Amino acid sequence: MNKIYKVALISDERKIEIVEKTLPQPESNQVLVKIDSCAICTLEQRIFSGVMKRYPFAGGHEAAGIIVEVGKNVKNLKAGDKVATRMLTSCGQCYYCRNGHENQCVISYKADIHEGIGGPGGLAEYMMLDAKTLYRMADDLDLSHAALSEPLACCVHSINNANIELGNDVVVIGVGIMGAFHIQLAKMRGARVIACEVDEARLEVAEKMGADILVNSKEGNTIQKVKELTEGRGADVVFCTAALTQLAEDSIQMVGKVGRVVMYSSFHPDKPIELNVNSVHSKEMNITGAVNANTRDFLVATKLLSNKMIDPSLLISEVVAFENIEYAFERAIDPKTYRVVVKM
Ligand SMILES: [Zn+2]
Ligand SMILES: [Zn+2]
């Protein structure tokens, strides 16, 4: 007799529905994973709160679990292994995939994990995944930490785009979970990190993550402050991790000559900003973005977590049981929380 398992769907604004599916058998390169933890990311929060109306949607792309069974062609994974999943699928055939930029794949997010249901589907008791999307984690790693591989991998990608050099002055704007990861990673790259944030509690988190200088953006002119801290030059690197276009403008103004600005955050609404092109020309400034993670970034993130080089425990605000998933979403959309992790 086939086993039944549960999948959570966002069925409408602020509504979660649980549906039941039949558990398939893994074939060839497939791996059956019993999901342990799945974090609720911004995409899921936007759909749940109604900012993006895409119903029904099987949310959850930050998942980790334990392998139950592998298909006959799977060689490097076995039952009992702890794994994190890279749910952003890449085709492996398009120009970008072949050029090492799987994060820019033209047909990403096509995965149909649970038969007949759209969405990454990590908020489920089980998932059937292709072996190439799974990354083995250390046996002693807390699986709620493993679930944060995806957001960490996106930040690894962003850090790589900024070419941080030893001793660089790096500004991180916004200390949400992404800003907090940027702080830790920039410190590992040998930077002096200046964290800018309006919320005092988040500035405390920034300090614990290793930020050297804390700037409360509500007190005085942040651009001026960054210039003072850098002998008038401006920063070598600025990461904008907050979704306000005004802050994107500020980021460009606080970077110095041959500096790099990374627009990490997505912007909704995507309001145009003022930009003096001549300053880009004369300062030789580099303005770029960072979206998602490629396979290499993901591997790096899983190693950093497995080897306990990055400790994300402060960034998990609450772990909530699957039975209380609606409450988990309500908590996740509260701007005061970092990640809320659903425990299956
Ligand atoms: Zn995410
Ligand atoms: Zn592709």
Side-chain angles (χ1 to χ4, degrees):
M1 205 181 74
N2 282 324
K3 222 179 140 185
I4 297 293
Y5 71 102
K6 293 191 174 90
V7 183
L9 290 180
I10 308 172
S11 55
D12 206 340
E13 202 174 309
R14 285 193 135 101
K15 278 207 180 73
I16 304 288
E17 194 186 310
I18 305 293
V19 294
E20 292 190 331
K21 288 271 160 191
T22 309
L23 207 59
Q25 282 282 316
E27 287 169 19
S28 64
N29 288 315
Q30 288 183 321
V31 177
L32 180 65
V33 181
K34 187 174 198 307
I35 300 301
D36 174 275
S37 300
C38 184
I40 302 174
C41 187
T42 317
L43 172 71
E44 285 79 15
Q45 292 172 31
R46 284 181 180 149
I47 294 173
F48 180 76
S49 62
V51 177
M52 288 165 82
K53 297 189 191 304
R54 199 191 286 178
Y55 309 110
F57 182 77
H61 62 272
E62 298 179 359
I66 296 174
I67 293 179
V68 181
E69 203 181 338
V70 302
K72 64 179 189 312
N73 296 335
V74 177
K75 307 283 182 231
N76 61 337
L77 296 166
K78 58 179 189 313
D81 283 350
K82 284 186 176 178
V83 285
T85 71
R86 178 174 181 264
M87 229 89 91
L88 181 82
T89 59
S90 37
C91 72
Q93 296 166 36
C94 75
Y95 178 82
Y96 302 101
C97 280
R98 291 190 167 173
N99 218 354
H101 303 288
E102 299 90 352
N103 60 312
Q104 293 286 356
C105 176
V106 294
I107 56 162
S108 63
Y109 256 134
K110 274 271 188 176
D112 192 7
I113 306 288
H114 307 290
E115 212 201 331
I117 307 176
L123 291 161
E125 291 174 314
Y126 291 89
M127 291 180 89
M128 187 68 84
L129 296 153
D130 192 291
K132 73 174 183 212
T133 69
L134 294 171
Y135 292 74
R136 188 168 41 227
M137 307 300 287
D139 289 335
D140 63 348
L141 186 70
D142 183 330
L143 280 166
S144 64
H145 291 193
L148 300 185
S149 297
E150 191 265 350
L152 179 60
C154 294
C155 297
V156 168
H157 186 70
S158 175
I159 291 284
N160 286 339
N161 279 358
N163 300 318
I164 298 170
E165 291 168 20
L166 289 172
N168 270 179
D169 291 315
V170 171
V171 173
V172 176
I173 297 179
V175 190
I177 181 171
M178 300 305 183
F181 278 146
H182 274 82
I183 292 169
Q184 292 183 68
L185 294 167
K187 284 307 293 175
M188 291 171 106
R189 281 283 172 94
R192 177 174 72 144
V193 177
I194 303 164
C196 302
E197 166 62 62
V198 290
D199 185 283
E200 274 301 327
R202 290 193 167 206
L203 279 172
E204 268 172 46
V205 172
E207 189 171 26
K208 288 179 182 144
M209 295 295 152
D212 299 280
I213 297 165
L214 309 174
V215 175
N216 188 324
S217 312
K218 270 199 301 210
E219 296 161 5
N221 184 323
T222 313
I223 301 164
Q224 211 48 51
K225 184 83 197 162
V226 169
K227 295 234 161 115
E228 279 164 25
L229 288 164
T230 54
E231 300 166 309
R233 287 188 306 271
D236 296 301
V237 174
V238 181
F239 292 102
C240 185
T241 78
L244 294 169
T245 48
Q246 178 56 51
L247 296 174
E249 238 178 271
D250 291 358
S251 305
I252 294 167
Q253 291 204 27
M254 62 175 75
V255 77
K257 291 182 176 182
V258 287
R260 285 83 70 199
V261 181
V262 181
M263 300 302 171
Y264 177 81
S265 183
S266 60
F267 295 92
H268 295 278
D270 187 12
K271 216 175 94 207
I273 63 165
E274 290 261 342
L275 173 69
N276 296 101
V277 189
N278 201 53
S279 74
V280 179
H281 157 74
S282 61
K283 286 177 156 183
E284 297 190 69
M285 130 194 346
N286 194 334
I287 303 170
T288 186
V291 67
N292 296 323
N294 61 36
T295 50
R296 192 162 169 255
D297 304 319
F298 211 97
L299 178 69
V300 170
T302 56
K303 283 179 74 183
L304 293 174
L305 289 167
S306 274
N307 297 335
K308 326 289 182 300
M309 293 166 76
I310 291 272
D311 178 6
S313 44
L314 268 183
L315 307 176
I316 297 174
S317 301
E318 201 165 334
V319 177
V320 179
F322 191 38
E323 293 79 60
N324 303 322
I325 189 162
E326 229 154 23
Y327 164 79
F329 268 91
E330 291 295 343
R331 288 287 292 141
I333 60 173
D334 177 348
K336 282 201 161 55
T337 57
Y338 279 96
R339 273 295 184 272
V340 172
V341 173
V342 178
K343 201 87 176 162
M344 295 301 152

